[in-house]
Amino acid sequence: MAVRDLDDYPWDAVAPYARRAAAHPGGAVDLSIGSPVDATPAVVADALRAGTDAHAYPQTVGTPALREAIAAWYDRRRGVPGLGVGEVLPTVGSKELVALLPLLLDIGAGDVVVHPRAAYPTYEVGAKLVGATPFASDDPAEWPDGTRLVWLNTPGNPDGRVLDVAELRAAVARARELGAVIASDECYAELGWEGPWAGERVPSILDPHVVGDDRSGVLSVYSLSKQSNLAGYRAAFLAGDAGIVAALVTARKHLGLMLPAPVQAAMTVALADDAHVAEQRERYRARRAVLKPALEAAGFRIDHSEGGLYLWATEGVDAWESMARLADLGILAGPGHFYGTHFPQHVRFSLTATDERIAAAAQRLTQS
């Protein structure tokens, strides 16, 4: 499949609803895209400014300080001890990695790439880009022969589903049975809200309770866009199988996929500072506590959403009908049609709006 054969960017279809929402007397409340609205932490911005004397080419593999910070963060925040610097790699945001991983793993026609049923569309795009077959399934028993790459997403986008240790272990076992690489997109892992995740750490696929001391064929992918408000920095990384990491480093050197030096300096500081992450988590917790009951009062059922940055909701009608109703209230959401074919009656609400805008949305919903 050539790049020119990719589908049109789906968010263009939301433009009419955005215009409709903008016509509301109180202005639009945009809950459609998970782009942070809160300030980048000062400690991180200061590190970026201090690193602007970047006259030399940056290291594709990352500075030693950054790699050490990534490994230390996995130990401290994700319960993954003992990662070496050869098992981690910074990336230019996580979306480029998701899109390019099938290419970098030499996946192609005749191969299968598994992704969740409710899925961020770039998993499918990455498969189609190399001519592979995307396969939507949450059940490892369904994953077919010929599977070369499995994507997990926990907590999920859009549905906020969290996979527990037993589910992760079963997924890893099946991927290994198939001879596939398994990659877990975990960029919302600091945002656990309900059930056990209200008080327990969301597990990583690299947790020893999942893989023991064997990380072969397993990758964890993470982004600082959400937890540190660094979406504009394009600051992400992966960790896991040292052989795969080494192969990715070689390919990325050839392709020039290197993170700017000032961003590497900023990431190093961000990864060592847990205080700003706790502050941001509490902002999202408070916004969720306002928006969720308002949606339920307006007739929406919230499914999953026990973690992550979104509320995955349905009122039992086609998502475009819900989009129209919401637009008349001055609220813009994301239609479930964008996240696969399995959830045409769901809409996704992001928590990435200011306190004032979240409160405005809640007021409009409860008065509708």
Side-chain angles (χ1 to χ4, degrees):
M1 180 178 184
V3 173
R4 63 179 178 272
D5 296 326
L6 292 176
D7 296 335
D8 291 339
Y9 195 60
W11 285 99
D12 294 343
V14 173
Y17 299 89
R19 290 192 292 270
R20 195 163 162 179
H24 190 277
V29 179
D30 189 349
L31 307 179
S32 64
I33 298 178
S35 184
V37 298
D38 301 302
T40 296
V43 65
V44 181
D46 289 345
L48 184 78
R49 283 188 287 268
T52 53
D53 181 13
H55 49 273
Y57 286 112
Q59 299 179 62
T60 301
V61 75
T63 65
L66 175 55
R67 285 178 283 161
E68 290 166 5
I70 294 170
W73 178 86
Y74 265 103
D75 188 358
R76 187 178 73 255
R77 300 300 307 173
R78 307 292 286 122
V80 181
L83 282 171
V85 295
E87 296 173 289
V88 302
L89 175 65
T91 65
V92 190
S94 59
K95 185 172 184 176
E96 65 91 346
L97 176 71
V98 171
L100 291 180
L101 190 59
L103 173 67
L104 300 179
L105 293 176
D106 196 26
I107 291 170
D111 297 327
V112 175
V113 175
V114 170
H115 60 75
R117 293 176 79 240
Y120 179 57
T122 309
Y123 305 127
E124 182 176 348
V125 169
K128 289 183 174 179
L129 192 65
V130 296
T133 301
F135 185 84
S137 173
D138 298 321
D139 181 359
E142 296 177 347
W143 301 348
D145 292 339
T147 297
R148 292 277 313 283
L149 173 63
V150 174
W151 277 110
L152 305 179
N153 184 201
T154 175
N157 172 12
D159 63 355
R161 178 187 176 199
V162 177
L163 301 179
D164 62 24
V165 165
E167 290 170 312
L168 291 171
R169 191 184 295 127
V172 170
R174 177 58 174 160
R176 286 175 168 167
E177 181 180 300
L178 293 166
V181 173
I182 184 166
S184 179
D185 182 348
E186 301 174 348
C187 69
Y188 304 100
E190 291 278 8
L191 306 176
W193 307 125
E194 293 184 351
W197 320 120
E200 295 179 20
R201 177 166 50 209
V202 171
S204 171
I205 198 169
L206 296 179
D207 189 308
H209 293 95
V210 176
V211 297
D213 59 0
D214 179 11
R215 293 190 272 265
S216 60
V218 181
L219 297 173
S220 164
V221 177
Y222 204 82
S223 167
L224 300 185
S225 293
K226 316 310 188 208
Q227 74 172 45
S228 300
N229 298 325
L230 297 186
Y233 284 48
R234 311 312 301 133
F237 49 88
L238 62 84
D241 184 318
I244 296 176
V245 171
L248 294 178
V249 169
T250 298
R252 294 172 72 85
K253 284 180 178 179
H254 283 295
L255 295 172
L257 293 172
M258 59 187 77
L259 202 63
V263 176
Q264 294 195 35
M267 285 179 66
T268 303
V269 171
L271 286 163
D273 182 71
D274 295 337
H276 78 270
V277 180
E279 291 174 8
Q280 188 59 43
R281 183 169 58 246
E282 290 310 308
R283 291 187 189 105
Y284 287 137
R285 186 191 305 277
R287 291 166 186 166
R288 186 179 186 277
V290 171
L291 185 60
K292 183 174 183 285
L295 286 169
E296 291 170 331
F300 284 89
R301 185 187 76 234
I302 309 298
D303 290 336
H304 289 302
S305 305
E306 59 261 30
L309 200 57
Y310 309 103
L311 292 169
W312 186 231
T314 179
E315 54 179 342
V317 300
D318 187 85
W320 291 116
E321 186 176 335
S322 293
M323 290 285 290
R325 176 194 169 196
L326 291 163
D328 287 339
L329 297 174
I331 299 170
L332 191 65
H337 300 284
F338 287 3
Y339 305 100
T341 60
H342 303 283
F343 300 94
Q345 295 185 337
H346 279 72
V347 289
R348 189 193 77 170
F349 296 86
S350 174
L351 302 177
T352 54
T354 65
D355 294 348
E356 183 275 329
R357 290 284 83 188
I358 292 286
Q363 183 180 39
R364 295 173 192 182
L365 286 162
T366 53
Q367 292 178 351
S368 64

